[in-house]
Amino acid sequence: MKFFAFSVVFLSLFHLSLGQPAHRHGGYRHRANRAFVQKRDKLTMSDAAFPQGTELPEVVVYVDQYGNPIRTATETVVYMPMETPSPQTSSLTNPPAPSSAPSPLDSAPPVVAPAPVPPPSPTPLGAESTPEPSSKQQPGWATPAATSASALSPEPFSQPDPYPTQPSTYPTQPDTYPTQPDTYPTQPDTPSSGSGLHGVTYSPYKGDSNCKTEAEVDRDFSLFSKDYGVVRLYGVDCDQVSTVSKAARKYGNKLLLGIFDINNVESAVDTMAASLNYDWSMVDTVSVGNELVNNGAATAEQSLGALALARSCLRARGYQGPVVVVDTFVAVLAHPELCDQSDYCAVNVHPFFDPNTGASDAGSFVNSMMQKIRNKLSDPGKRIVVTETGWPWQGEPNGAAVPGLDHQSIAISAIKGAFSSNAADVFLFTAFNDLWKKPEPSTFMAEQFWGMGGRYSPSDE
């Protein structure tokens, strides 16, 4: 009964933390400067799956009395066999209080769960979307970490302020679809998983938040394209599908295109089709959304509805390749249907945001999260692609996770090692430093500095 009561409390609080409506409002803030909670030596849990006492290292999420995640830690968890209560034992007996309790603000018990990882991903808006307020949204998983004497208040990843300028016009789209070509260039039915090269993310924004020109995009590709196979985009603003596809075709890359605004799916698909002149041969995958469930910006049902609509619209315009929803591993573990209904499982995993994971352990962290996801899928053999992972080369330390060029090199090597036999199943974040973002304490002032090897785009030098 102790385990049952414990489980019900955690599940209720954890699900509330992922989907509170208040998280969608920029004015909402968790209380800052919480006292640091000392790490426990061991945690004991009852689990019928273990016939005898077993110790295992697990990632633990600590929540406050409102169900908000406040920190993570890797703890030693002692699993004890489930005891069957005797007939004389009342089912209403309250479980004994833990011998060592967190501070009042962190009064809810720790629970073994995957550690939330705040993503540093770029957040370009679709050309058809309206910019969100400049104040940051509160994701349900955002986790502060103690620096100096106090804990920092959690905030989500940065967005450009002002947002990158969007062009007033886009490539002309056909008025009616019968004018589309009767046949389309041949394209593979599956992603180019055999390319032997890792993928990389790319954002077409300059440090002043303006859009990069076609020439500037071409210059960028001349510097990094030979090291990567597929290049991931996030939206259709800044005429990026047109400018990037020209550079990718020139330098021999394929593209993972993105529909960022799921409220304007058909418009985004039209922009893609027109920008490519209905030639989808260089498109590896089209993604729908980026971490929307994790951030509380959409429900799982809404994301899956957008996925179905996008797939239908893309098929009508000649694209026959994979269509996927992209979210964090935390969201996917809570909603494996996001992967089950996608053509493959697309998930963002950032080991830097686990304070117990050093650079040398980045690869094993990613592998561990992938295995947890695989155990949740209806088809455990389904392909899983990590659509974002990396390590910052500048910023503030997050426990054992320390930024730096040497640390980034170690972390990236560890991640590549984890994908030595399937390099195309991981996208490194990111091709260049993102100076259009704002440094934030919640992401350890590292938001701008995830470029591979500390590289700056020539347009920002």
Side-chain angles (χ1 to χ4, degrees), residues 121-144:
S121 57
T123 56
L125 298 175
E128 66 284 346
S129 62
T130 302
E132 299 174 2
S134 59
S135 57
K136 308 299 184 293
Q137 295 177 341
Q138 283 290 350
W141 48 261
T143 305

Side-chain angles (χ1 to χ4, degrees), residues 18-69:
L18 288 175
Q20 291 186 71
H23 290 158
R24 289 191 279 271
H25 298 286
Y28 182 85
R29 289 290 184 273
H30 294 301
R31 182 175 176 180
N33 300 321
R34 293 186 178 90
F36 182 74
V37 180
Q38 286 293 84
K39 180 179 177 180
R40 303 180 179 201
D41 292 333
K42 294 182 180 179
L43 301 175
T44 302
M45 297 183 65
S46 297
D47 193 326
F50 294 88
Q52 60 186 12
T54 304
E55 291 189 9
L56 292 173
E58 295 281 7
V59 178
V60 176
V61 177
Y62 289 84
V63 299
D64 62 19
Q65 65 267 42
Y66 303 110
N68 300 308

Side-chain angles (χ1 to χ4, degrees), residues 240-295:
Q240 62 183 282
V241 177
S242 176
T243 58
V244 172
S245 64
K246 291 174 183 176
R249 194 180 302 278
K250 175 180 177 180
Y251 293 100
N253 300 100
K254 290 207 167 193
L255 298 176
L256 192 163
L257 299 181
I259 299 172
F260 188 78
D261 184 0
I262 65 171
N263 295 313
N264 290 282
V265 168
E266 189 165 3
S267 175
V269 171
D270 285 344
T271 299
M272 290 177 184
S275 298
L276 296 168
N277 195 28
Y278 293 89
D279 179 359
W280 301 93
S281 59
M282 67 185 310
V283 179
D284 180 90
T285 302
V286 176
S287 67
V288 179
N290 187 61
E291 303 179 348
L292 298 181
V293 175
N294 190 91
N295 296 347

Side-chain angles (χ1 to χ4, degrees), residues 191-197 383 424:
S192 54
S193 57
S195 68
L197 292 175
R383 183 187 181 206

Side-chain angles (χ1 to χ4, degrees), residues 177-430:
Y177 291 107
T179 61
Q180 300 175 21
D182 295 330
T183 60
Y184 299 93
T186 302
Q187 52 186 318
D189 293 331
T190 58
S192 54
S193 57
S195 68
L197 292 175
H198 306 90
V200 70
T201 66
Y202 177 75
S203 298
Y205 313 120
K206 294 190 284 191
D208 60 6
S209 297
N210 287 316
C211 301
K212 290 181 180 179
T213 65
E214 182 177 325
E216 288 169 331
V217 170
D218 184 274
R219 174 62 173 153
D220 284 349
F221 267 69
S222 72
L223 297 177
F224 76 83
S225 60
K226 63 179 173 44
D227 298 321
Y228 303 98
V230 181
V231 179
R232 181 186 175 193
L233 303 180
Y234 291 81
V236 297
D237 59 323
C238 278
D239 200 23
Q240 62 183 282
V241 177
S242 176
T243 58
V244 172
S245 64
K246 291 174 183 176
R249 194 180 302 278
K250 175 180 177 180
Y251 293 100
N253 300 100
K254 290 207 167 193
L255 298 176
L256 192 163
L257 299 181
I259 299 172
F260 188 78
D261 184 0
I262 65 171
N263 295 313
N264 290 282
V265 168
E266 189 165 3
S267 175
V269 171
D270 285 344
T271 299
M272 290 177 184
S275 298
L276 296 168
N277 195 28
Y278 293 89
D279 179 359
W280 301 93
S281 59
M282 67 185 310
V283 179
D284 180 90
T285 302
V286 176
S287 67
V288 179
N290 187 61
E291 303 179 348
L292 298 181
V293 175
N294 190 91
N295 296 347
T299 64
E301 291 75 16
Q302 288 170 331
S303 286
L304 292 174
L307 173 70
L309 176 59
R311 187 180 283 123
S312 174
C313 291
L314 287 161
R315 298 290 185 258
R317 287 138 180 89
Y319 174 71
Q320 303 299 322
V323 186
V324 300
V325 170
V326 175
D327 223 298
T328 66
F329 72 89
V330 175
V332 168
L333 287 171
H335 298 281
E337 64 270 22
L338 294 173
C339 281
D340 290 337
Q341 296 186 37
S342 294
D343 292 325
Y344 61 78
C345 184
V347 60
N348 295 346
V349 184
H350 284 285
F352 174 75
F353 292 101
D354 177 18
N356 299 295
T357 298
S360 61
D361 295 323
S364 59
F365 180 91
V366 175
N367 260 342
S368 174
M369 296 305 108
M370 290 178 67
Q371 187 56 53
K372 288 179 183 291
I373 291 170
R374 194 171 297 285
N375 293 340
K376 292 273 190 175
L377 299 181
S378 59
D379 175 11
K382 192 165 192 172
R383 183 187 181 206
I384 300 176
V385 176
V386 174
T387 41
E388 275 187 23
T389 190
W391 199 271
W393 63 271
Q394 183 173 309
E396 297 176 350
N398 174 28
V402 179
L405 284 173
D406 290 342
H407 291 87
Q408 184 192 65
S409 178
I410 292 170
I412 297 303
S413 294
I415 291 168
K416 287 182 176 180
F419 290 85
S420 58
S421 62
N422 55 333
D425 287 350
V426 62
F427 284 75
L428 300 177
F429 184 88
T430 180

